[in-house]
Amino acid sequence: MADSDLRGEAYEAEHVHAVYEQIASHFSSTRYKPWPIVSQFLTTLPPGSIGLDIGCGNGKYLPLNPSIYILASDRSTNLAKIASSHQPQSAIVADSLALPHPLKTFDFAISIAVVHHLSTVSRRREAVAAILGVLRKGGRALIYVWALEQKGSRRGWEEGGEQDVMVPWVVKGPKQVKPRKRKAKTETDEAVSMPVEGGGDRTFQRYYHLYRKGELEEDVVVAGGAVVESGYEKDNWWAIATPRWET
Amino acid sequence: MKLLTLNFLTCARKACKATNAAFPLHPKDAELEIVEVELSPLFVRNILPRVEWEALRTLCQDLGLPQLPATAPEPGELFTPNPSDGVEGEGIEEVGEEGEPTQTLKDLHHVLLETTIREGKLVCGSCGHEYAVKEGIANFLLPSHLV
Ligand SMILES: [Zn+2]
């Protein structure tokens, strides 16, 4: 896994996109609680602001502020369909590296738990550049990625560890009686129980790049942005970025 | 997809994105559907200045919808004056401040938010690529040779 040259678009198609397409409805049913930083970012925007939710998943952030307009996109058709139910917002299917939006237009953008699914550093920076590219001068993007430093979580990741990992998603089969917490499993357990059938459960592996401290800010700067504010929130790094160019 | 959405979309191809010809995308074989959306007069008022009116006009024309006026309605055309204004105007709660939404505002709401493309294609005026709309969801994923 150390060689990032082996990764890229085709790799993500198999280890990210195909997985989300299959787990869409189950994933969606577990994703309802918005992160506080994201809520705060969206609810403090002035009424009439227009922006994008890039990699919107099931659209859980779309209902937070009905006085702004959000055009959401996801690579998964199944997830975009679920997201499209939130009026007055919209949802489309698009790739974060080929966004179908006019440049230098939007007041804001959010990219929550998306950039960490890109499997090379150049693709991650390209994604950040694409987000900055659609913002008008002074526009702001909130980017949120999984942290390597998660000592408090049961996943056991911490500083100095492997940053490119596969993370299991277990869809409980109907036979399962005793509910077990998905997060309790370690990666090695998963590698063993990987065979798709097992008490009716199905396990899907998703690729993640875990960000170390300061890495997100580096990516923002290399991508042509300036960091307005950044921080750590419950196993994630986040940054509010603005384009550096003059228009 | 609602027509408002199309005001913020262009071709996904890098070479097209910066060109004027790619915006707005042109509907083809479009099957329209009216989806009822709760009227939020303030949302319509606030979003209107951000709408590229000419693009919306072109779109309505492409779809064979009633022609829109040459220029966007002025803010004053969106609400009927509140009769209580000026008479003990102070301290009135914000709700009544705007007055009643006019037919113009309601028509805008209908065009921007309730008129949707259910099936069809969106064509780039620059490269000719066609993006499919199925069950109201437009798909902008590009085949790898076009990225
Ligand atoms: Zn094009």
Side-chain angles (χ1 to χ4, degrees):
Chain A
M1 249 331 215
D3 190 0
S4 71
D5 291 345
L6 296 174
R7 297 194 295 264
E9 198 183 345
Y11 181 84
E12 289 152 22
E14 182 182 349
H15 296 290
V16 179
H17 312 317
V19 176
Y20 277 110
E21 196 67 8
Q22 292 190 71
I23 69 176
S25 66
H26 179 251
F27 172 81
S28 179
S29 67
T30 64
R31 289 293 184 277
Y32 47 87
K33 207 179 162 200
W35 275 305
I37 290 282
V38 187
S39 298
Q40 199 196 340
F41 180 83
L42 289 175
T43 53
T44 52
L45 290 162
S49 296
I50 55 163
L52 304 173
D53 181 350
I54 299 164
C56 63
N58 65 353
K60 69 172 163 172
Y61 295 109
L62 301 183
L64 293 186
N65 184 353
S67 71
I68 59 174
Y69 176 63
I70 307 176
L71 172 42
S73 59
D74 202 278
R75 222 177 167 299
S76 158
T77 307
N78 290 340
L79 286 172
K81 258 181 209 160
I82 299 169
S84 69
S85 64
H86 300 287
Q87 297 291 359
Q89 319 304 7
S90 308
I92 57 165
V93 175
D95 189 304
S96 61
L97 295 181
L99 294 171
H101 306 296
L103 302 170
K104 298 182 179 180
T105 299
F106 299 89
D107 303 314
F108 70 93
I110 61 171
S111 161
I112 311 303
V114 174
V115 177
H116 57 208
H117 281 312
L118 293 162
S119 58
T120 66
V121 64
S122 61
R123 287 171 67 78
R124 290 189 289 275
R125 287 173 176 171
E126 199 185 326
V128 175
I131 296 165
L132 292 165
V134 294
L135 295 178
R136 63 164 171 81
K137 190 183 177 184
R140 289 179 172 203
L142 172 61
I143 305 169
Y144 209 100
V145 291
W146 230 0
L148 174 64
E149 299 83 355
Q150 300 195 20
K151 260 188 157 171
S153 88
R154 276 174 292 187
R155 297 177 189 274
W157 297 322
E158 56 183 313
E159 203 183 331
E162 172 61 47
Q163 287 185 259
D164 296 291
V165 299
M166 301 304 285
V167 180
W169 181 272
V170 180
V171 178
K172 291 291 177 199
K175 289 177 194 166
Q176 195 73 15
V177 186
K178 204 168 81 183
R180 278 183 302 167
K181 286 237 171 106
R182 167 177 66 82
K183 286 184 180 178
K185 294 190 173 183
T186 67
E187 265 184 89
T188 32
D189 286 343
E190 281 314 320
V192 177
S193 68
M194 183 50 190
V196 168
E197 310 303 333
D201 291 1
R202 296 189 71 197
T203 300
F204 298 89
Q205 300 284 351
R206 291 166 300 162
Y207 167 83
Y208 277 88
H209 176 79
L210 303 173
Y211 272 73
R212 58 175 164 69
K213 188 181 184 187
E215 187 177 358
L216 179 59
E217 288 90 335
E218 273 170 47
D219 284 0
V220 166
V221 171
V222 173
V227 177
V228 178
E229 211 184 329
S230 63
Y232 182 86
E233 182 180 63
K234 205 178 179 316
D235 304 335
N236 292 276
W237 294 110
W238 60 269
I240 295 174
T242 191
R244 239 182 315 156
W245 53 77
E246 300 296 318
T247 36
Chain B
M1 69 175 336
K2 48 181 85 77
L3 300 194
L4 174 63
T5 317
L6 273 158
N7 217 269
F8 301 104
L9 289 171
T10 183
C11 186
R13 295 177 73 179
K14 266 202 181 78
C16 294
K17 231 179 275 187
T19 67
N20 291 330
F23 179 86
L25 297 169
H26 299 283
K28 187 181 158 191
D29 307 327
E31 201 181 290
L32 297 183
E33 183 184 25
I34 302 300
V35 177
E36 211 173 302
V37 177
E38 196 188 337
L39 175 67
S40 166
L42 290 181
F43 181 85
V44 176
R45 182 197 68 181
N46 291 334
I47 210 75
L48 187 59
R50 307 305 295 274
V51 170
E52 296 274 349
W53 190 256
E54 203 45 52
L56 182 66
R57 276 191 91 212
T58 307
L59 177 62
C60 288
Q61 209 167 338
D62 285 352
L63 291 171
L65 294 168
Q67 203 182 8
L68 294 178
T71 55
E74 297 293 321
E77 296 170 53
L78 303 178
F79 295 91
T80 54
N82 192 325
S84 67
D85 267 3
V87 193
E88 290 186 278
E90 283 167 68
I92 289 178
E93 68 273 45
E94 259 181 65
V95 191
E97 203 183 298
E98 304 298 337
E100 283 297 306
T102 58
Q103 193 57 45
T104 304
L105 186 144
K106 289 175 187 167
D107 290 348
L108 277 171
H109 169 79
H110 186 69
V111 169
L112 290 169
L113 295 162
E114 296 190 318
T115 308
T116 71
I117 298 179
R118 180 162 176 83
E119 301 286 333
K121 294 184 179 74
L122 301 169
V123 187
C124 171
S126 169
C127 71
H129 188 68
E130 298 184 347
Y131 298 95
V133 183
K134 286 180 188 156
E135 296 177 50
I137 305 287
N139 188 322
F140 288 90
L141 299 181
L142 292 165
S144 54
H145 67 280
L146 289 184
V147 175

